Amino acid sequence: MSCFSCPTSSPQQPGSPTSHLPEADHDEINKSLRPIQVSAANIPTAVRVYSTIQSLIQRERINTPDLLVITELKPHVGTQLWQKFEQLESPALRKSFDPNTGHFTIKMPTPLHNCALIWFQDARDKWIEAGLLTTAEKRMMKAQVADTITLTRGVYANCRKEPDVHVNVHGLNLPTLCFEIGYSESKPLLESDMRRLLIGGQGDITAVILIKWYKRRAGVAGTIELWRLDNNGNPLKEQDEAIFPVPSSPQPPIKVTRKMLFGNALLPGRPPLDIFSFSLDDLRIEARIAMAKQSLFPL
């Protein structure tokens, strides 16, 4: 769920073994995944926008992608549309609205989106078993989906966002760690999500993990990236790994620190630089289970 135009510079793109993966090819199977998109420039009310969205979903039901994008939406109409979705639609939907660009996006999550939550929970259980987390820290930290984040500072002030997964810590207004997952959502739009969260969070959101799935005739490919802010407040890609196809050489896990997990709520005396790892093999296990539910299989 993303803004199509962003007021900040493009994120850094260091070379990596996974950067060559194509965003799209000419397979018909990929064409069916392109997001549904509609302009609201000539639709004056939230009721009519909502009706248009419902009609589009019904028409595209056979090959419905998981992302719907409304462009050129007036700020007050976007606010009313958000309220309408809150009242009438499933809380499983994940919404995003940027009044600066007029883009309102609706993600309809699949098992491939949702397996990231299970992956985080499994990693947390291992941290507890290893003695990395105390009972107090465990109680402080909750992973959630579909909760609304309202950014209040900087160029992304007044943006609303529901990350695919976000880690909330008691006492903090914003999550510390967010996960954004793309299936029909393109890599540039995922990166837009990341910029908005990191820059709009102004350091309170310490890191964003991007997972991008690529559907191909032969199966599903996938990549994962860890982003954080550098010392100048710009997004920095810290890790970039392949999920599928599985690389032949060993890979490091995705790593965050205790400070990244707990942010400004870090308990006194707890080592801020302790490493917390997310196993890519564990992610592959959950992804395979999720793919089977969608009649998919990995490359």
Side-chain angles (χ1 to χ4, degrees):
M1 296 180 288
S2 303
C3 310
F4 280 176
S5 59
C6 298
T8 59
S9 58
S10 298
Q12 299 181 34
Q13 296 290 343
S16 69
T18 61
S19 61
H20 68 277
L21 273 174
E23 176 59 35
D25 58 28
H26 298 294
D27 288 354
E28 290 298 323
I29 199 167
N30 291 303
K31 292 181 181 178
S32 70
L33 278 175
R34 290 175 181 169
I36 303 171
Q37 182 167 318
V38 60
S39 169
N42 297 316
I43 309 178
T45 67
V47 171
R48 287 185 58 186
V49 175
Y50 182 80
S51 177
T52 300
I53 291 169
Q54 293 301 310
S55 297
L56 279 170
I57 292 175
Q58 289 295 325
R59 191 180 72 193
E60 300 285 346
R61 186 170 295 276
I62 294 176
N63 282 318
T64 302
D66 57 71
L67 189 71
L68 191 150
V69 182
I70 305 104
T71 64
E72 301 180 276
L73 197 63
K74 294 179 176 60
H76 73 281
V77 177
T79 299
Q80 293 168 1
L81 182 62
W82 188 286
Q83 294 169 347
K84 196 164 189 66
F85 268 90
E86 292 279 281
Q87 295 167 355
L88 300 177
E89 295 294 338
S90 166
L93 294 177
R94 290 162 201 165
K95 307 181 294 298
S96 176
F97 177 53
D98 187 335
N100 301 306
T101 61
H103 286 81
F104 192 114
T105 57
I106 302 161
K107 188 180 290 186
M108 296 158 271
T110 67
L112 265 178
H113 291 89
N114 294 331
C115 74
L117 175 61
I118 301 172
W119 181 49
F120 176 86
Q121 291 170 334
D122 288 345
R124 182 193 57 194
D125 289 345
K126 289 184 177 181
W127 302 337
I128 295 169
E129 291 171 5
L132 282 171
L133 288 178
T134 66
T135 300
E137 288 173 323
K138 176 188 173 183
R139 290 173 177 168
M140 289 173 62
M141 182 175 59
K142 304 292 182 184
Q144 296 176 266
V145 299
D147 278 359
T148 300
I149 295 171
T150 301
L151 302 174
T152 59
R153 296 171 291 175
V155 294
Y156 290 110
N158 301 316
C159 286
R160 297 182 182 184
K161 183 90 179 73
E162 294 176 343
D164 286 304
V165 180
H166 47 106
V167 178
N168 288 331
V169 177
H170 294 335
L172 301 181
N173 293 325
L174 290 175
T176 54
L177 177 64
C178 294
F179 296 71
E180 286 294 327
I181 298 97
Y183 189 46
S184 63
E185 184 175 11
S186 70
K187 185 69 180 306
L189 295 187
L190 277 179
E191 290 175 352
S192 177
D193 286 339
M194 172 274 298
R195 286 193 296 273
R196 180 169 41 182
L197 288 167
L198 286 180
I199 296 173
Q202 295 195 354
D204 290 338
I205 298 175
T206 62
V208 176
I209 292 175
L210 301 184
I211 299 175
K212 178 69 180 94
W213 302 110
Y214 300 86
K215 191 176 181 184
R216 299 290 180 258
R217 286 193 184 279
V220 177
T223 63
I224 184 168
E225 298 173 357
L226 173 67
W227 290 81
R228 62 175 180 80
L229 292 179
D230 65 17
N231 293 333
N232 296 316
N234 298 314
L236 171 71
K237 181 161 59 174
E238 194 161 85
Q239 283 187 258
D240 185 349
E241 305 291 342
I243 305 171
F244 297 116
V246 181
S248 57
S249 57
Q251 291 174 285
I254 300 298
K255 300 176 183 178
V256 299
T257 65
R258 190 186 306 275
K259 176 63 175 176
M260 291 165 71
L261 281 174
F262 289 94
N264 294 327
L266 183 70
L267 294 177
R270 298 300 287 159
L273 299 182
D274 277 356
I275 298 297
F276 292 76
S277 297
F278 294 90
S279 165
L280 292 178
D281 286 337
D282 287 351
L283 175 57
R284 292 182 182 109
I285 291 171
E286 297 304 331
R288 288 188 176 100
I289 294 171
M291 288 182 195
K293 295 176 182 178
Q294 298 175 239
S295 299
L296 300 171
F297 46 89
L299 283 176

